[in-house]
Amino acid sequence: MLKTIDSLGELRGKRVLVRADLNVPLDGTTITDDGRIRAALPTLTRLVEAGARVAVISHLGRPKGAPEDKYSLKPVVGRLGELLGQDVAFATDTVGSSAQEVVAGLEDGQVAVLENLRFNPGETSKDESERLAFAEQLAALGDAFVSDGFGVVHRKQASVYELATLLPSAAGELVLREVESLRKVTDSPERPFVVVLGGAKIADKLGVIDSLLGKADRILIGGGMAYTFQKAQGYEVGKSLLDESKLDVVREYLERGEKNGVELVLPVDTVVAPEFSADAPATVVPSSEIPSDQEGMDIGPETAKLFGEKIADAATVFWNGPMGVFEFESFAKGTSSVADVLSKAPGYTVVGGGDSAAAVRILGFDESLYSHISTGGGASLELIEGKDLPGISILEEDSK
Ligand code: 3PG
Ligand code: MG
């Protein structure tokens, strides 16, 4: 059982640090998908109503331990204020004089956002004592800690892990809802249990495939990671994304899938283009015949149809990772068609992942059409994989 906000007792007048994941996609300073900000609202509203003085801490992007304008959380503050219906203060540093002044100036029920945690080297340091030292500076700003940045609970970072050891701590509403929804998929999924995986980085997905080869009934693979599978089957993939170092592992997965009776479904056709750009001419080719001067950009229409058939009768579906370069309109159809089939599937449907969740909303699908849309990419995968997540275990009732 995770510790809940109730366990923190009376919060009126108390300074509560809330770790959120406000790492939203930005185009300059324009937020292109505010899903993660909206996901932070249940906890924030609850604390505001309880009269707490709320200091929100978050990262944005991957700055390297020093301030960088393009990673400032400033653009997020206005949107958060609009959604909360109240002014939100902003501190231009995380633990320095600005943060201290802003937090000291909060009245009961007011909210502030502190600047990007990752502008401080201690946040992501590999050295535990450096992380602890930074967490101590954070802890000095609060009387209690609520961990609600689900997207980052798989990271052993100062604001996710060490901070929870220093203050009375609890899991926020988002973390509780995410864990509950994702455990429904892993613990005893209704069958057929179908998993759809995509996205560019195959290395991030190997663990989950490994674990799902013992659990899922079907695994459908699209997106950038599919080309490594196709290459492992002996096909040429042209200029497509390829992770040569993973070919052996992937071959072993293909064999194990067959042995375990898990159906691994790969693309049968591919949308290719001569270069990676929005207006590159798109052609559909069989997946086994990608020309050497072309690169795969999306799954083709036959694959979309095939995936649709494999999803239609599923009782449980977990989807992580886009099927193609959905940011470019001519290569968004595969992702859009999976989003569409999933939205109509009668079973328990979970969209996991920063990118696939954003894709669903950017492509215009209503969130209510899915059972659960996760705010975490890596975090939801690691949870499905059955890993121990540092930011979750530290919130267990029997942890320190
Ligand atoms: C994400 O977008 O995946 C989360 O915000 C975590 O960010 P990270 O992968 O940079 O740790
Ligand atoms: Mg990530």
Side-chain angles (χ1 to χ4, degrees):
M1 287 282 279
L2 298 181
K3 292 183 275 194
T4 62
I5 292 176
D6 279 335
S7 74
L8 298 174
E10 173 61 42
L11 291 174
R12 181 159 302 276
K14 290 230 180 107
R15 298 167 307 158
V16 180
L17 282 168
V18 178
R19 177 49 160 115
D21 181 356
L22 304 178
N23 184 21
V24 290
L26 290 175
D27 182 4
T29 56
T30 307
I31 298 163
T32 54
D33 175 47
D34 67 359
R36 280 180 166 165
I37 307 178
R38 284 183 291 113
L41 295 177
T43 290
L44 297 181
T45 313
R46 176 168 173 188
L47 294 172
V48 164
E49 281 166 6
R53 304 173 176 201
V54 183
V56 183
I57 49 177
S58 175
H59 71 288
L60 188 138
R62 292 182 177 170
K64 303 259 171 299
E68 259 182 273
D69 272 355
K70 66 171 178 185
Y71 294 125
S72 174
L73 275 166
K74 184 111 208 291
V76 167
V77 179
R79 183 72 189 125
L80 178 60
E82 273 168 31
L83 291 165
L84 279 173
Q86 69 183 68
D87 280 344
V88 170
F90 180 61
T92 54
D93 57 29
T94 326
V95 290
S97 54
S98 174
Q100 288 165 21
E101 265 167 47
V102 165
V103 173
L106 285 173
E107 290 177 18
D108 297 0
Q110 287 188 339
V111 178
V113 173
L114 312 185
E115 185 54 289
N116 198 331
L117 287 156
R118 292 183 183 172
F119 287 176
N120 307 273
E123 168 67 358
T124 55
S125 175
K126 298 264 172 285
D127 180 335
E128 200 181 316
S129 62
E130 282 176 24
R131 289 201 308 271
L132 189 61
F134 179 57
E136 276 163 357
Q137 289 182 288
L138 287 168
L141 296 169
D143 304 304
F145 173 57
V146 175
S147 179
D148 209 28
F150 178 74
V152 81
V153 290
H154 59 315
R155 307 272 183 229
K156 198 167 188 182
Q157 296 178 346
S159 68
V160 179
Y161 185 79
E162 279 80 12
L163 181 55
T165 66
L166 299 173
L167 289 175
S169 300
E173 305 285 339
L174 176 64
V175 161
L176 291 176
R177 185 161 57 85
E178 291 268 16
V179 169
E180 192 193 340
S181 306
L182 291 163
R183 286 206 173 136
K184 270 195 213 167
V185 173
T186 44
D187 290 359
S188 45
E190 281 197 49
R191 295 179 182 282
F193 172 26
V194 178
V195 177
V196 189
L197 295 175
K201 280 180 270 157
I202 191 163
D204 295 356
K205 308 273 160 57
L206 290 178
V208 80
I209 299 175
D210 195 296
S211 119
L212 288 170
L213 278 169
K215 281 189 197 144
D217 297 298
R218 293 173 207 140
I219 305 178
L220 322 184
I221 294 176
M225 62 184 286
Y227 308 110
T228 302
F229 277 85
Q230 289 166 209
K231 180 84 181 177
Q233 289 180 313
Y235 301 134
E236 284 315 316
V237 296
K239 296 196 295 176
S240 309
L241 268 183
L242 175 65
D243 190 340
E244 300 259 8
S245 69
K246 300 294 181 285
L247 286 171
D248 286 342
V249 190
V250 162
R251 262 184 221 112
E252 193 272 319
Y253 288 169
L254 288 165
E255 284 163 24
R256 189 154 22 118
E258 205 153 317
K259 224 177 6 191
N260 292 0
V262 177
E263 210 184 332
L264 272 168
V265 187
L266 289 165
V268 291
D269 60 349
T270 302
V271 182
V272 298
E275 81 225 356
F276 188 89
S277 82
D279 42 19
T283 330
V284 178
V285 299
S287 299
S288 54
E289 291 167 29
I290 298 180
S292 60
D293 59 346
Q294 304 273 318
E295 87 176 85
M297 300 287 276
D298 194 9
I299 56 170
E302 285 303 316
T303 307
K305 205 169 129 223
L306 174 69
F307 282 12
E309 288 160 10
K310 300 284 178 192
I311 292 169
D313 68 338
T316 309
V317 192
F318 174 74
W319 171 32
N320 182 301
M323 296 290 106
V325 190
F326 75 90
E327 297 86 345
F328 302 156
E329 211 188 313
S330 6
F331 308 106
K333 289 194 195 79
T335 303
S336 197
S337 91
V338 167
D340 184 46
V341 180
L342 222 72
S343 75
K344 293 174 182 146
Y348 186 73
T349 52
V350 175
V351 183
D355 282 349
S356 13
V360 160
R361 291 184 291 256
I362 289 168
L363 297 170
F365 293 90
D366 199 288
E367 285 172 286
S368 65
L369 300 170
Y370 307 90
S371 310
H372 180 66
I373 300 192
S374 177
T375 55
S380 64
L381 282 173
E382 290 195 19
L383 210 114
I384 297 276
E385 197 179 323
K387 273 198 184 165
D388 187 32
L389 310 190
I392 298 288
S393 28
I394 197 68
L395 304 172
E396 294 286 351
E397 261 163 11
D398 53 6
S399 82
K400 198 190 103 63

